[in-house]
């Protein structure tokens, strides 16, 4: 339902770009604050100064990276909505894959196992981080990761929608009591005796 409450397509790009920048700045700021605090020299003043410097330097860069990803994703999504003529989860999945491919086009080294994905792959792989040559191979790998990630997000969204829809399902209507129905023409009203017997 929330898909249809979003902004129309040209404005959606700006909206998603700004939302992604905000998420990147806030999330990156928290992460960089902790990282700067831990990596600073001993002493509370040095640690707070290191934390503030890390946030000041890195948080806008992370927010900018998120904004680029969000803007490109929304641009591709709007293009697919226009091309296909409908808005469904396949647009988001395809947009995630194409965004990953476009952003990886210039990379020289593809590392498919980011820390989040390494948690899922640890039982199956002995090496957690390895490097493959970039270019088309990096584009294919990033497209697969983007598509899989967006498919998981869309799948969880669909499951949550179905789960919450069951809570608000309409109850079956009660059978109507014949005494409360409107009387037919010429028939006496139910519950009242026929007045003709008193004449």
């Amino acid at each position: 339902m929330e898909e249809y409450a979003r902004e129309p397509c040209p404005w959606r790009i700006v909206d998603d770009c700004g939302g992604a920048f905000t998420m990147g700045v806030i999330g990156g700021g928290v992460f960089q604050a902790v990282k700067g605090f831990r990596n600073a020299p001993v002493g509370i003043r040095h640690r707070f100064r290191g934390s503030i410097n890390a946030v000041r330097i890195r948080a806008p860069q992370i927010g900018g990276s998120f904004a680029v990803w969000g803007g490109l994703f929304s641009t591709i999504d709007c293009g697919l909505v226009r091309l296909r003529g409908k808005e469904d989860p396949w647009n988001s999945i395809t947009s995630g894959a194409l965004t990953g491919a476009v952003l990886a086009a210039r990379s020289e080294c593809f590392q498919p196992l980011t820390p989040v994905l390494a948690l899922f792959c640890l039982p199956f792989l002995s090496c957690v981080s390895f490097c493959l040559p970039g270019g088309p191979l990096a584009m294919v790998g990033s497209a697969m990761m983007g598509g899989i990630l967006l498919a998981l997000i869309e799948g969880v969204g669909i499951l949550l929608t179905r789960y919450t829809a069951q809570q608000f399902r309409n109850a079956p209507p009660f059978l109507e009591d014949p005494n409360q129905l409107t009387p037919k023409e010429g028939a006496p009203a139910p519950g009242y005796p026929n007045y003709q017997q008193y004449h």
Side-chain angles (χ1 to χ4, degrees), residues 21-122:
F21 178 78
T22 305
M23 284 193 306
V25 166
I26 293 172
V30 170
F31 181 77
Q32 292 300 322
V34 172
K35 186 177 175 184
F37 188 84
R38 291 182 64 199
N39 292 336
V42 178
I44 196 72
R45 283 181 55 199
H46 294 295
R47 290 194 183 265
F48 278 128
R49 188 175 300 145
S51 177
I52 290 171
N53 283 338
V55 170
R56 183 177 52 84
I57 293 169
R58 288 288 296 151
Q61 294 173 353
I62 295 170
S65 297
F66 271 67
V68 168
W69 196 94
L72 186 59
F73 175 84
S74 292
T75 302
I76 294 172
D77 192 33
C78 286
L80 288 173
V81 167
R82 175 78 175 174
L83 186 69
R84 295 183 66 220
K86 59 182 175 179
E87 196 166 337
D88 60 359
W90 287 109
N91 288 346
S92 296
I93 294 168
T94 307
S95 297
L98 289 174
T99 300
V102 168
L103 292 178
R106 293 185 58 211
S107 69
E108 296 175 8
C109 181
F110 169 60
Q111 293 180 343
L113 295 178
T114 60
V116 174
L117 294 173
L119 295 175
F120 297 115
C121 299
L122 270 177

